[in-house]
Amino acid sequence: MDMDGVLVHEEHLIPGVDVFLQELRDNDIPFLVLTNNSIRTPRDLHARLSRTGLDIPETSIWTSALATATFLGNQRPGGSAYVVGESGLTTALHDIGYVLTDSDPDYVVLGETRTYSFEAITTAIRLVERGSRFIATNPDATGPSRDGLLPATGSVAALITRATGREPYYVGKPNPLMMRSALRAIGAHSENTLMIGDRMDTDVVSGLEAGLRTILVLSGISTKETVELYPYRPTLVLESVADLIGKTTDPFA
Protein backbone atom coordinates (compact mmCIF):
# COMPACT_ATOMS: atom_id res chain seq x y z
CA MET A 1 0.00 0.00 0.00
CA ASP A 2 1.00 3.60 -0.50
CA MET A 3 1.71 5.76 2.55
CA ASP A 4 0.87 9.44 2.02
CA GLY A 5 -2.82 9.83 1.29
CA VAL A 6 -3.55 6.24 2.32
CA LEU A 7 -2.19 5.98 5.88
CA VAL A 8 -1.38 9.58 6.73
CA HIS A 9 -1.78 13.18 5.60
CA GLU A 10 1.52 14.86 6.43
CA GLU A 11 1.72 14.20 10.21
CA HIS A 12 -1.93 13.23 10.71
CA LEU A 13 -3.31 9.69 10.85
CA ILE A 14 -6.20 8.98 8.49
CA PRO A 15 -9.07 7.70 10.69
CA GLY A 16 -9.35 3.91 10.87
CA VAL A 17 -5.85 3.12 9.58
CA ASP A 18 -4.63 1.77 12.94
CA VAL A 19 -7.57 -0.64 13.17
CA PHE A 20 -7.08 -1.72 9.55
CA LEU A 21 -3.37 -2.49 10.05
CA GLN A 22 -4.05 -4.38 13.28
CA GLU A 23 -6.59 -6.51 11.45
CA LEU A 24 -3.97 -7.36 8.82
CA ARG A 25 -1.60 -8.47 11.58
CA ASP A 26 -4.32 -10.46 13.38
CA ASN A 27 -5.03 -12.32 10.14
CA ASP A 28 -1.30 -12.87 9.39
CA ILE A 29 -1.58 -10.93 6.14
CA PRO A 30 1.85 -9.59 5.16
CA PHE A 31 2.00 -6.02 3.89
CA LEU A 32 4.53 -3.48 2.72
CA VAL A 33 4.20 0.29 2.81
CA LEU A 34 5.49 1.89 -0.38
CA THR A 35 6.24 5.54 -0.89
CA ASN A 36 7.53 7.45 -3.89
CA ASN A 37 8.75 10.12 -1.50
CA SER A 38 12.53 9.77 -1.20
CA ILE A 39 13.10 12.41 1.50
CA ARG A 40 13.27 10.13 4.55
CA THR A 41 15.01 6.85 5.39
CA PRO A 42 12.91 3.88 6.56
CA ARG A 43 14.12 4.62 10.10
CA ASP A 44 12.91 8.22 9.81
CA LEU A 45 9.58 7.06 8.38
CA HIS A 46 9.17 4.51 11.17
CA ALA A 47 9.64 7.32 13.70
CA ARG A 48 7.30 9.63 11.78
CA LEU A 49 4.57 7.00 11.66
CA SER A 50 5.10 6.17 15.33
CA ARG A 51 4.26 9.78 16.20
CA THR A 52 0.89 9.33 14.49
CA GLY A 53 0.24 6.14 16.45
CA LEU A 54 1.27 3.60 13.80
CA ASP A 55 3.92 1.00 14.62
CA ILE A 56 5.28 -0.07 11.25
CA PRO A 57 8.76 -1.63 11.33
CA GLU A 58 11.52 -0.35 9.07
CA THR A 59 11.53 -3.67 7.21
CA SER A 60 7.92 -3.04 6.15
CA ILE A 61 8.75 0.28 4.48
CA TRP A 62 10.03 0.48 0.90
CA THR A 63 10.86 3.86 -0.61
CA SER A 64 11.67 5.04 -4.12
CA ALA A 65 15.13 5.93 -2.77
CA LEU A 66 15.75 2.28 -1.80
CA ALA A 67 14.39 1.09 -5.14
CA THR A 68 16.65 3.57 -6.95
CA ALA A 69 19.71 2.47 -4.98
CA THR A 70 18.93 -1.19 -5.67
CA PHE A 71 18.57 -0.44 -9.38
CA LEU A 72 21.83 1.52 -9.59
CA GLY A 73 23.69 -1.07 -7.53
CA ASN A 74 22.68 -3.72 -10.05
CA GLN A 75 23.33 -1.54 -13.09
CA ARG A 76 26.69 -0.07 -12.13
CA PRO A 77 28.12 -1.41 -8.85
CA GLY A 78 30.44 0.98 -7.03
CA GLY A 79 29.45 3.93 -9.20
CA SER A 80 29.17 7.63 -8.51
CA ALA A 81 26.29 10.09 -8.50
CA TYR A 82 25.44 13.74 -8.11
CA VAL A 83 22.33 13.83 -5.94
CA VAL A 84 19.62 16.45 -5.71
CA GLY A 85 17.64 15.21 -2.74
CA GLU A 86 17.70 14.59 0.98
CA SER A 87 18.92 12.02 3.49
CA GLY A 88 16.61 9.21 2.38
CA LEU A 89 18.28 9.18 -1.02
CA THR A 90 21.86 9.98 -0.03
CA THR A 91 21.81 7.34 2.72
CA ALA A 92 20.44 4.69 0.34
CA LEU A 93 23.21 5.43 -2.17
CA HIS A 94 25.92 5.49 0.48
CA ASP A 95 24.69 2.11 1.72
CA ILE A 96 25.36 0.51 -1.69
CA GLY A 97 28.86 1.98 -1.81
CA TYR A 98 28.23 4.87 -4.17
CA VAL A 99 30.44 7.96 -4.14
CA LEU A 100 28.48 11.22 -4.15
CA THR A 101 30.29 13.83 -6.22
CA ASP A 102 29.80 16.70 -8.63
CA SER A 103 32.95 15.75 -10.54
CA ASP A 104 32.06 13.72 -13.64
CA PRO A 105 29.53 11.41 -11.91
CA ASP A 106 28.10 8.33 -13.61
CA TYR A 107 24.59 9.52 -12.75
CA VAL A 108 22.63 12.59 -11.83
CA VAL A 109 19.99 11.34 -9.40
CA LEU A 110 17.02 13.57 -8.69
CA GLY A 111 14.85 12.93 -5.65
CA GLU A 112 12.31 14.69 -3.47
CA THR A 113 13.18 17.70 -1.34
CA ARG A 114 11.27 20.60 0.18
CA THR A 115 14.22 22.95 -0.44
CA TYR A 116 15.12 22.66 -4.13
CA SER A 117 18.20 24.79 -4.80
CA PHE A 118 18.52 26.71 -8.07
CA GLU A 119 22.29 26.19 -7.82
CA ALA A 120 21.89 22.42 -7.40
CA ILE A 121 19.46 22.19 -10.31
CA THR A 122 21.85 24.22 -12.47
CA THR A 123 24.70 21.85 -11.58
CA ALA A 124 22.48 18.87 -12.45
CA ILE A 125 21.62 20.40 -15.84
CA ARG A 126 25.29 20.98 -16.67
CA LEU A 127 26.29 17.44 -15.64
CA VAL A 128 23.50 15.87 -17.70
CA GLU A 129 24.60 18.00 -20.65
CA ARG A 130 28.14 16.65 -20.23
CA GLY A 131 26.96 13.05 -20.34
CA SER A 132 25.94 11.94 -16.86
CA ARG A 133 22.98 9.56 -17.02
CA PHE A 134 19.77 11.09 -15.69
CA ILE A 135 17.81 9.14 -13.04
CA ALA A 136 14.79 10.31 -11.05
CA THR A 137 13.33 8.51 -8.08
CA ASN A 138 9.73 9.02 -9.18
CA PRO A 139 7.57 10.90 -11.70
CA ASP A 140 5.09 12.45 -9.24
CA ALA A 141 4.51 16.02 -10.41
CA THR A 142 2.86 17.04 -7.13
CA GLY A 143 2.48 15.83 -3.58
CA PRO A 144 -0.13 16.48 -0.89
CA SER A 145 0.12 18.81 2.09
CA ARG A 146 -2.32 20.29 4.56
CA ASP A 147 -2.15 23.58 2.64
CA GLY A 148 -2.62 22.08 -0.83
CA LEU A 149 -0.46 20.55 -3.55
CA LEU A 150 3.33 20.80 -3.55
CA PRO A 151 5.64 20.52 -6.58
CA ALA A 152 7.43 17.19 -6.52
CA THR A 153 10.21 15.31 -8.33
CA GLY A 154 8.44 15.03 -11.67
CA SER A 155 8.03 18.79 -11.93
CA VAL A 156 11.72 19.45 -11.32
CA ALA A 157 12.68 16.61 -13.65
CA ALA A 158 10.62 18.33 -16.36
CA LEU A 159 12.62 21.51 -15.81
CA ILE A 160 15.93 19.62 -16.27
CA THR A 161 14.55 17.80 -19.31
CA ARG A 162 13.43 21.07 -20.89
CA ALA A 163 16.91 22.51 -20.37
CA THR A 164 18.86 19.46 -21.59
CA GLY A 165 16.53 17.55 -23.91
CA ARG A 166 17.26 14.43 -21.81
CA GLU A 167 14.45 12.44 -20.20
CA PRO A 168 15.20 10.73 -16.88
CA TYR A 169 14.68 7.06 -16.15
CA TYR A 170 12.10 6.93 -13.35
CA VAL A 171 12.60 4.05 -10.91
CA GLY A 172 9.64 4.51 -8.54
CA LYS A 173 5.95 3.97 -9.17
CA PRO A 174 4.51 3.42 -11.72
CA ASN A 175 7.63 1.57 -12.87
CA PRO A 176 6.82 -2.14 -12.32
CA LEU A 177 10.40 -2.55 -11.01
CA MET A 178 9.33 -1.05 -7.69
CA MET A 179 6.27 -3.29 -7.47
CA ARG A 180 8.22 -6.45 -8.27
CA SER A 181 10.84 -5.65 -5.64
CA ALA A 182 8.03 -5.07 -3.14
CA LEU A 183 6.48 -8.44 -3.99
CA ARG A 184 9.84 -10.14 -3.46
CA ALA A 185 10.25 -8.39 -0.12
CA ILE A 186 7.11 -10.03 1.31
CA GLY A 187 7.43 -13.32 -0.59
CA ALA A 188 4.20 -12.68 -2.48
CA HIS A 189 2.84 -13.37 -5.94
CA SER A 190 0.84 -10.92 -8.01
CA GLU A 191 -2.13 -13.32 -8.20
CA ASN A 192 -2.84 -13.07 -4.47
CA THR A 193 -1.64 -9.53 -3.78
CA LEU A 194 -3.38 -6.19 -4.13
CA MET A 195 -2.17 -2.61 -4.30
CA ILE A 196 -3.91 0.13 -2.29
CA GLY A 197 -3.20 3.70 -3.31
CA ASP A 198 -4.60 7.19 -3.62
CA ARG A 199 -3.25 8.07 -7.08
CA MET A 200 -4.46 6.77 -10.42
CA ASP A 201 -1.29 7.83 -12.24
CA THR A 202 1.18 5.99 -9.99
CA ASP A 203 -0.41 3.55 -7.52
CA VAL A 204 -3.21 2.12 -9.63
CA VAL A 205 -1.32 1.90 -12.92
CA SER A 206 1.75 0.36 -11.26
CA GLY A 207 -0.44 -2.29 -9.63
CA LEU A 208 -2.17 -3.03 -12.93
CA GLU A 209 1.09 -3.30 -14.85
CA ALA A 210 2.51 -5.66 -12.22
CA GLY A 211 -0.57 -7.90 -12.49
CA LEU A 212 -2.16 -6.97 -9.14
CA ARG A 213 -5.74 -6.10 -8.35
CA THR A 214 -6.00 -2.52 -7.16
CA ILE A 215 -7.97 -0.44 -4.68
CA LEU A 216 -8.13 3.33 -5.03
CA VAL A 217 -8.92 5.24 -1.84
CA LEU A 218 -10.27 8.78 -2.06
CA SER A 219 -8.42 9.99 1.05
CA GLY A 220 -5.53 11.46 -0.95
CA ILE A 221 -4.95 12.87 -4.43
CA SER A 222 -7.40 11.21 -6.86
CA THR A 223 -11.14 11.86 -6.77
CA LYS A 224 -14.19 10.13 -8.22
CA GLU A 225 -14.11 12.70 -11.02
CA THR A 226 -10.45 12.22 -11.92
CA VAL A 227 -10.88 8.44 -12.05
CA GLU A 228 -13.02 8.91 -15.15
CA LEU A 229 -10.20 10.73 -16.97
CA TYR A 230 -8.03 7.60 -17.23
CA PRO A 231 -8.34 4.75 -19.76
CA TYR A 232 -7.94 2.18 -16.98
CA ARG A 233 -9.82 1.62 -13.74
CA PRO A 234 -9.03 0.27 -10.29
CA THR A 235 -10.68 -2.96 -9.23
CA LEU A 236 -12.41 -1.14 -6.38
CA VAL A 237 -12.87 2.48 -5.25
CA LEU A 238 -13.33 3.23 -1.52
CA GLU A 239 -13.44 6.35 0.62
CA SER A 240 -10.50 5.12 2.74
CA VAL A 241 -8.89 1.94 4.08
CA ALA A 242 -11.33 2.18 7.00
CA ASP A 243 -13.87 0.70 4.56
CA LEU A 244 -11.78 -2.50 4.49
CA ILE A 245 -12.11 -3.15 8.22
CA GLY A 246 -13.81 -6.52 8.61
CA LYS A 247 -13.03 -7.41 4.99
CA THR A 248 -9.25 -7.80 4.96
CA THR A 249 -9.36 -11.54 4.25
CA ASP A 250 -11.60 -10.98 1.19
CA PRO A 251 -11.67 -7.28 0.18
CA PHE A 252 -13.59 -7.88 -3.05
CA ALA A 253 -16.39 -10.01 -1.61
Side-chain angles (χ1 to χ4, degrees), residues 157-235:
L159 186 157
I160 296 173
T161 294
R162 184 65 181 267
T164 63
R166 300 270 297 280
E167 293 278 351
Y169 180 71
Y170 294 107
V171 178
K173 297 176 293 181
N175 191 333
L177 271 177
M178 189 166 178
M179 299 303 297
R180 293 192 186 107
S181 62
L183 287 169
R184 285 194 296 272
I186 58 174
H189 191 278
S190 58
E191 290 183 359
N192 54 17
T193 307
L194 62 88
M195 175 63 188
I196 306 172
D198 71 307
R199 296 184 69 129
M200 288 290 291
D201 56 348
T202 54
D203 303 320
V204 171
V205 72
S206 64
L208 285 170
E209 291 182 354
L212 282 64
R213 287 180 290 178
T214 60
I215 294 177
L216 177 76
V217 291
L218 303 177
S219 50
I221 296 291
S222 291
T223 65
K224 288 181 180 178
E225 290 72 30
T226 57
V227 169
E228 302 302 325
L229 301 177
Y230 292 86
Y232 51 85
R233 292 188 62 84
T235 313

Side-chain angles (χ1 to χ4, degrees), residues 82-161:
Y82 177 73
V83 175
V84 180
E86 297 194 20
S87 61
L89 184 55
T90 56
T91 299
L93 291 173
H94 274 139
D95 286 348
I96 63 165
Y98 258 53
V99 173
L100 305 188
T101 179
D102 60 1
S103 178
D104 193 29
D106 296 316
Y107 298 96
V108 166
V109 183
L110 175 67
E112 207 78 61
T113 174
R114 296 291 169 83
T115 55
Y116 284 111
S117 156
F118 183 79
E119 181 181 355
I121 293 171
T122 300
T123 299
I125 288 169
R126 291 170 179 169
L127 291 172
V128 170
E129 278 190 316
R130 293 172 194 159
S132 294
R133 301 155 187 85
F134 186 18
I135 299 288
T137 57
N138 68 86
D140 296 34
T142 60
S145 80
R146 281 173 289 174
D147 299 320
L149 296 180
L150 295 170
T153 305
S155 294
V156 180
L159 186 157
I160 296 173
T161 294

